[in-house]
Amino acid sequence: MGIFDVLRALFGGGQATADDGRTEPTAEDESATTPDDDGAESTDDGGFRIPENATRDERVPFGALAATNRAELHENAEEFAEFWSEYELDFTPSSIPDVDAMVATQQERANYLSIDLGDGYEGAVAPMASEPAAYFGEVMVRNYDAEWTFDEDFGWALQFGNGQIVNIFKTAHQALEGDPPFVMLHDTFVEDVGLDGDLLDTDGGRAAVMDVDEGIDPDDFDDEAIAAAAGERDAEELIEDVRGDAEDHVEAWPAYEFDYSVESLERLDELVTAEFSGPAFADAEVGSTDDEASILLTAHTVNAGSYFGEVLRRELGGSWRHTETDGLQLELPVSDGAARVSPIAMAESCLAGDDTFTDRYAGVREVLDEVGEQLESGD
């Protein structure tokens, strides 16, 4: 399968131009769309679906050019395994190192093909990235809690059971200039998503995954309904929720080994820096449901704050309390009295970059000591 055999497998109709000026057929400029058997639209002549959020002033995402539907993704993966038969590509996780080995021998031959999709849309794809990414994705689908999905930002992408959507085709294209990425990607997903599998390289690095979407649509959130539902919950239910939110936080980030120890707060700070300090959350607002970034930041603030509160409660004693006036707070013992703190409000400050959980814990300890001394000196 030469590079234009790959091209023919990926495209049908129109004109695509390789870096050296050669041309091959691609999608017709205009075609009526019809739903395929998995619900994602494809064109009557086998053309590509343009993601809803694609714009004409930017190239359409790599994932939109990977296939016209799920069946074609499966077919591309099968053809890839058949063509590279000298490697043991049997769709098991243990075959992924062979994918990296193959890519390493071919990277210097990788070409980008420019695609005119018509109606002002253009794209480009490197088959040497797209085909192994399709095989890798199919391995993940067949062996783990994952499936192919069409994302309106990424095109075809991997979606895991926790709802996380990964732009696997962009990740593969970005890796063409570096080391083959697929073993690192597999092990990153095993650790960060919590997949039920073994690491392929226990001493290896972890991949920088391009663009992660939690699959949340802000239009699905009804602010009035959410507020009404919250108002119907009693104090015991809210306290039970916060403990569940803490557990959700632990389960969502297995690579950080959150064990409710004081030492784990350093890892919590590392998580905030790695996941929530980038430009994607620069304009996000806790409590807002107007955009996906704000929804995610709010959810993670609640979960991280609940975890922080549980660390405080287990280390310092005390219990959760809820009142109509102050909401949910953690009541901590001090001398013959008690002091109340709001871990979730503290978490909001930490995720905004204004503080750290490590410093907040030290601050709570300091305040408790000072209040205790004052109470004792007044006896």
Side-chain angles (χ1 to χ4, degrees):
M1 184 186 295
I3 193 166
F4 286 111
D5 290 322
V6 174
L7 183 62
R8 277 188 287 272
L10 290 173
F11 311 118
Q15 288 286 314
T17 304
D19 292 341
D20 60 5
R22 294 173 293 177
T23 61
E24 283 292 310
T26 68
E28 291 292 335
D29 286 351
E30 295 184 10
S31 303
T33 60
T34 55
D36 61 26
D37 61 358
D38 61 270
E41 289 183 345
S42 60
T43 57
D44 288 335
D45 65 351
F48 298 101
R49 177 184 177 187
I50 305 296
E52 183 177 316
N53 296 332
T55 61
R56 291 175 177 81
D57 58 348
E58 295 182 355
R59 288 185 166 183
V60 300
F62 296 114
L65 303 176
T68 60
N69 52 49
R70 285 193 184 95
E72 190 171 333
L73 285 167
H74 303 326
E75 181 181 345
N76 289 345
E78 292 282 357
E79 289 183 356
F80 175 82
E82 181 180 353
F83 180 79
W84 296 102
S85 58
E86 63 266 41
Y87 298 93
E88 296 184 12
L89 303 179
D90 58 0
F91 292 93
T92 63
S94 61
S95 71
I96 294 174
D98 275 9
V99 180
D100 277 351
M102 185 284 299
V103 171
T105 69
Q106 301 294 318
Q107 280 180 300
E108 293 183 359
R109 300 174 57 191
N111 289 321
Y112 276 81
L113 306 168
S114 296
I115 316 298
D116 183 359
L117 297 171
D119 197 25
Y121 290 101
E122 295 182 352
V125 66
M128 191 46 62
S130 188
E131 281 209 325
Y135 174 85
F136 172 80
E138 192 67 11
V139 171
M140 303 304 288
V141 168
R142 296 188 187 189
N143 293 276
Y144 298 110
D145 187 9
E147 65 178 358
W148 290 111
T149 189
F150 192 90
D151 183 85
E152 295 299 349
D153 291 304
F154 305 156
W156 288 105
L158 273 179
Q159 182 168 16
F160 294 105
N162 64 355
Q164 187 179 85
I165 301 172
V166 177
N167 194 346
I168 191 66
F169 289 102
K170 182 177 180 180
T171 301
H173 279 79
Q174 294 289 343
L176 281 176
E177 300 299 322
D179 295 329
F182 296 107
V183 167
M184 288 193 296
L185 282 171
H186 172 273
D187 289 355
T188 298
F189 296 146
V190 167
E191 286 194 342
D192 291 354
V193 181
L195 301 180
D196 184 15
D198 297 325
L199 297 179
L200 298 173
D201 184 1
T202 55
D203 298 324
R206 298 296 174 257
V209 182
M210 300 301 298
D211 296 342
V212 176
D213 188 338
E214 301 292 343
I216 295 173
D217 185 351
D219 293 337
D220 292 339
F221 285 77
D222 184 334
D223 292 346
E224 293 183 1
I226 293 172
E232 293 174 358
R233 303 183 68 79
D234 61 27
E236 289 186 5
E237 289 177 313
L238 292 170
I239 292 169
E240 188 63 31
D241 282 350
V242 80
R243 291 171 180 156
D245 291 337
E247 285 297 319
D248 288 344
H249 175 82
V250 172
E251 294 174 2
W253 306 101
Y256 287 88
E257 298 181 354
F258 291 120
D259 57 3
Y260 296 98
S261 66
V262 175
E263 292 75 20
S264 72
L265 297 180
E266 294 182 3
R267 299 192 290 276
L268 184 54
D269 289 330
E270 293 172 2
L271 168 66
V272 171
T273 300
E275 301 291 339
F276 302 106
S277 62
F281 292 95
D283 298 322
E285 297 181 9
V286 173
S288 171
T289 58
D290 292 338
D291 57 89
E292 182 176 352
S294 294
I295 294 168
L296 289 173
L297 186 64
T298 301
H300 286 298
T301 297
V302 171
N303 286 359
S306 298
Y307 176 82
F308 178 55
E310 280 296 287
V311 172
L312 289 172
R313 185 183 67 81
R314 298 182 188 202
E315 291 290 330
L316 306 177
S319 58
W320 292 98
R321 292 285 184 269
H322 182 272
T323 65
E324 293 296 331
T325 303
D326 299 323
L328 190 64
Q329 293 187 320
L330 186 64
E331 190 173 87
L332 300 171
V334 52
S335 188
D336 293 331
R340 289 182 179 177
V341 298
S342 178
I344 294 176
M346 293 179 180
E348 182 175 352
S349 176
C350 293
L351 268 76
D354 300 327
D355 214 332
T356 68
F357 287 101
T358 304
D359 287 346
R360 278 293 194 172
Y361 179 84
V364 170
R365 287 295 304 261
E366 184 177 348
V367 168
L368 292 179
D369 290 343
E370 290 178 356
V371 172
E373 291 174 2
Q374 292 173 3
L375 289 174
E376 291 174 1
S377 63
D379 289 342

